[in-house]
Amino acid sequence: MAAPTVQALGLTKVYAGQTVVDGIELAVFPGECFGLLGPNGAGKTTTLRMLLGQTPPDAGRLTVLNHRIPEDARDMRARVGLVPQQDNLDPDFTVLENLRVYASYFGLSGPVLQRRIDELLGFVQLEAKAQAGIGTLSGGMKRRLTLARALINQPDLLILDEPTTGLDPQARQIIWQRLRSLLAQGKTLILTTHYMEEAERLCDRVAIMDHGRILACGSPHALIKQYIEPHVLEVYGPEVETWQDDVARQHARRTERVGETVFCYAEDEGALLDDLRQRPQLRFMHRPGNLEDVFLKLTGRELRE
Amino acid sequence: MMFHPPVVSLRWIPVWRRNFLVWRKLLGPALLGNFGEPLLYLLALGYGLGSFVGEVGGLPYGVFLAAGIVCGSAMNTATFEGLYSAYTRMAHQQTWGGMLATPLSVDDIVLGEMIWAGTKSLLSVAPILLVAALLGLVHSWAALWVLPVVLLAGVCFGALALVVTALAKSYDFFLYYFTLIVTPMFLFSGVFFPLDGMPIAVQWGAQVLPLTHAIAIVRPLMTGQPLPHLLPHLLVLLAYGAVAFYLAIGLLRRRLLA
């Protein structure tokens, strides 16, 4: 197997006595899309900041694109693109000026840059907006511009911190398409997201983090198979608790009640479905297990603030 | 690790250039502010007060005041840039955050920002100098040497302001700096009146203020009076600039990279 693009061994970060990232092991390989999933405060963004050399680890070893981090972070960042969680486009510049000025931070200029900018504006479908001010762009356009900006230095590794948060479904679809196309070009992607279906669609492998630790790591398919029964029924309606105690527990390996809904995780769905068809007052949805089930099983259902 | 020596390279240039390009786009209001206010001081105080005061330190009051306004304007412009504008780039627009995802470092950003603050001082002082000359308030071609001195003073005041910005939690924090440092300096560095008439303690106290030393160089250059020994005055400005540069980098590394 090729040398990893990112390798972290025992990576640790402590803020004011609190261990935010707790000795994680991470290997991301060239050409893969790797997802970092976790509730708010799990340590995802801190992990990304350490990868970028923007904050030094308190313990552990870290290499990114064969550069020791943080010692060699400047050279590494010349080969990495970042789509940050918070929009930081320059509001005083147009779309074109944003790309040109950002390129100057990498020492890029001239006709080669101009060609690259034209290509990138085409890639993110913003050709018509080249002269537009940032204030006139929609949220989706801003994200696409941020993506184009992150590609200005032709990075080998692209890091995306919640790339589709706050976007409408259309805008999200375009971002997904563009990311797939980057993967097809052989780029390595690391992304964080709260949307499990996004991770399931895009990522070759995901790591689920909580409280600064990696709880599980693998392909979405393998994790679902490992942690979740093949059939999931979500059942709700009057007296669903009684049904859970009397019927569901017999036929499902696990059941769980959340508010008014009973989740049944079963190897075989037949008996449950037969029973539910006799009870028109109960409504249900039958679906395969998914990454969100894995996520909730591992990190719990409590609300994180 | 946060206070290791600065790593200096030419990478400050793109930081400086980004600010210059924004300034060029917003040229109108920027020039009006930098240029209009000192001009009003020159006209109102120079002529208004000047007609009562007559001569000050052997000079017509307007001539005396012009050098003070040039230096005061250099200080205020660089200070404003290093406080409000830099804070906006750091905290609200996340411009520095964007730069830190590229090969630029905190050291490059601080150096670029302080040289930019000095450049803005220059951009605001040059038209004032021209207007003062047209009003007959400049008595020597040596006044052109004011420009590099103003650049140095602006870099120094910009670096001092960046130290305050590095510690600020909000814009309100800057009022401490203005009330406790900038305004007293504006009033007690010899901008509006010579220090000779002040109590000896005030005269000595004024020697601590960098603005006093900028004025000590700029006033003779503009009025054609004999120059003092330049080196001590330049050294004071350089020392303030260097210490503030070192402190601003350390504090901003702690703030942005911790």
Side-chain angles (χ1 to χ4, degrees):
Chain A
M1 203 179 261
T5 304
V6 173
Q7 178 130 50
L9 299 169
L11 196 62
T12 301
K13 184 73 192 179
V14 182
Y15 278 128
Q18 203 186 345
T19 307
V20 186
V21 175
D22 194 359
I24 61 169
E25 315 278 319
L26 208 59
V28 178
F29 294 95
E32 77 172 336
C33 180
F34 189 88
L36 215 46
L37 313 180
N40 287 330
K44 305 182 302 283
T45 297
T46 304
T47 301
L48 293 190
R49 291 193 66 209
M50 283 194 280
L51 294 192
L52 283 159
Q54 290 183 341
T55 192
D58 291 302
R61 280 167 50 91
L62 177 61
T63 57
V64 178
L65 296 165
N66 291 322
H67 293 284
R68 286 289 306 271
I69 308 300
E71 296 83 355
D72 211 6
R74 201 197 278 270
D75 291 336
M76 173 273 294
R77 283 200 297 265
R79 298 172 54 202
V80 172
L82 172 69
V83 176
Q85 198 178 112
Q86 195 189 349
D87 165 42
N88 62 4
L89 294 165
D90 238 315
D92 299 310
F93 290 138
T94 63
V95 166
L96 193 61
E97 288 165 338
N98 260 283
L99 293 175
R100 279 200 192 131
V101 169
Y102 201 76
S104 75
Y105 304 154
F106 290 90
L108 303 170
S109 62
V112 178
L113 174 67
Q114 190 51 52
R115 269 200 301 282
R116 199 179 294 167
I117 286 177
D118 293 340
E119 276 171 29
L120 286 173
L121 285 176
F123 181 71
V124 297
Q125 300 170 29
L126 284 176
E127 302 102 319
K129 291 284 179 183
Q131 306 296 338
I134 297 307
T136 68
L137 302 184
S138 68
M141 289 176 179
K142 284 185 190 168
R143 281 271 114 174
R144 269 140 63 199
L145 177 56
T146 306
L147 177 61
R149 194 184 67 170
L151 296 169
I152 200 80
N153 57 326
Q154 298 186 304
D156 301 312
L157 169 65
L158 191 62
I159 296 179
L160 307 108
D161 197 0
E162 298 188 21
T164 64
T165 297
L167 298 188
D168 63 30
Q170 286 84 356
R172 184 176 299 168
Q173 291 281 349
I174 299 187
I175 297 276
W176 285 348
Q177 267 176 33
R178 298 299 83 186
L179 295 184
R180 282 210 193 87
S181 147
L182 290 170
L183 286 167
Q185 291 169 29
K187 304 240 188 243
T188 309
L189 266 54
I190 298 178
L191 63 89
T192 72
T193 180
H194 286 304
Y195 303 114
M196 294 304 130
E197 98 275 14
E198 174 166 289
E200 216 171 316
R201 265 170 222 228
L202 286 176
C203 296
D204 300 301
R205 287 190 309 138
V206 298
I208 296 178
M209 273 187 93
D210 202 9
H211 304 299
R213 294 187 186 182
I214 291 180
L215 305 177
C217 183
S219 77
H221 182 73
L223 289 179
I224 295 165
K225 212 172 159 189
Q226 182 183 348
Y227 287 98
I228 302 297
E229 296 72 10
H231 296 277
V232 181
L233 276 86
E234 296 181 22
V235 186
Y236 50 101
E239 287 166 40
V240 71
E241 311 83 7
T242 328
W243 180 81
Q244 180 188 11
D245 292 336
D246 297 347
V247 183
R249 288 193 205 285
Q250 288 175 37
H251 301 296
R253 184 181 292 166
R254 291 187 300 129
T255 71
E256 195 176 358
R257 197 164 88 236
V258 183
E260 301 300 303
T261 305
V262 171
F263 288 79
C264 309
Y265 302 93
E267 288 298 329
D268 181 40
E269 79 286 21
L272 286 165
L273 287 175
D274 287 345
D275 182 84
L276 281 166
R277 285 193 194 100
Q278 314 299 317
R279 299 174 195 267
Q281 79 278 14
L282 289 179
R283 301 176 61 188
F284 68 95
M285 185 172 80
H286 173 213
R287 60 170 176 80
N290 61 31
L291 199 56
E292 187 141 339
D293 297 319
V294 179
F295 185 85
L296 291 170
K297 184 176 183 186
L298 292 176
T299 63
R301 289 183 184 268
E302 282 149 59
L303 203 57
R304 308 297 173 91
E305 310 291 357
Chain B
M1 96 128 239
M2 291 300 166
F3 283 90
H4 64 74
V7 180
V8 174
S9 76
L10 287 181
R11 285 198 171 90
W12 63 268
I13 294 172
V15 179
W16 178 92
R17 186 172 163 275
R18 181 249 164 229
N19 290 346
F20 175 76
L21 292 175
V22 174
W23 175 82
R24 211 177 55 179
K25 292 199 102 174
L26 309 171
L27 193 57
L31 271 186
L32 188 68
N34 290 340
F35 172 53
E37 197 184 293
L39 184 66
L40 287 173
Y41 269 104
L42 264 187
L43 292 174
L45 294 182
Y47 289 99
L49 204 53
S51 65
F52 293 101
V53 175
E55 293 217 332
V56 169
L59 298 163
Y61 185 62
V63 175
F64 176 88
L65 181 68
I69 291 296
V70 159
C71 294
S73 173
M75 173 178 77
N76 285 333
T77 305
T79 301
F80 195 90
E81 191 63 30
L83 297 179
Y84 292 90
S85 308
Y87 188 81
T88 302
R89 292 191 276 274
M90 172 178 75
H92 292 280
Q93 298 184 359
Q94 292 288 326
T95 313
W96 295 358
M99 291 172 173
L100 290 174
T102 73
L104 301 183
S105 67
V106 170
D107 304 26
D108 303 322
I109 293 172
V110 172
L111 189 58
E113 288 284 353
M114 63 193 258
I115 294 176
W116 168 245
T119 310
K120 269 202 93 168
S121 294
L122 198 61
L123 290 167
S124 80
V125 160
I128 298 171
L129 207 56
L130 181 69
V131 170
L134 293 174
L135 293 173
L137 302 176
V138 176
H139 287 172
S140 166
W141 281 102
L144 287 174
W145 285 104
V146 166
L147 297 175
V149 177
V150 158
L151 178 65
L152 171 65
V155 168
C156 163
F157 288 118
L160 287 167
L162 285 168
V163 173
V164 180
T165 294
L167 297 168
K169 299 265 184 292
S170 75
Y171 292 109
D172 299 320
F173 185 72
F174 299 145
L175 278 176
Y176 289 110
Y177 184 59
F178 268 110
T179 313
L180 299 176
I181 311 280
V182 176
T183 306
M185 183 146 53
F186 194 49
L187 292 173
F188 293 103
S189 292
V191 172
F192 298 103
F193 48 83
L195 295 167
D196 326 10
M198 303 297 286
I200 199 78
V202 174
Q203 291 194 36
W204 277 102
Q207 296 307 312
V208 178
L209 305 173
L211 186 61
T212 305
H213 297 276
I215 293 175
I217 305 172
V218 166
R219 185 161 281 142
L221 285 172
M222 286 176 65
T223 59
Q225 288 177 322
L227 281 171
H229 284 296
L230 294 182
L231 195 62
H233 298 300
L234 287 173
L235 279 179
V236 170
L237 290 176
L238 279 170
Y240 266 103
V243 170
F245 175 53
Y246 189 85
L247 265 179
I249 285 185
L251 291 170
L252 284 169
R253 281 187 196 139
R254 196 179 70 183
R255 177 172 187 147
L256 300 170
L257 306 181

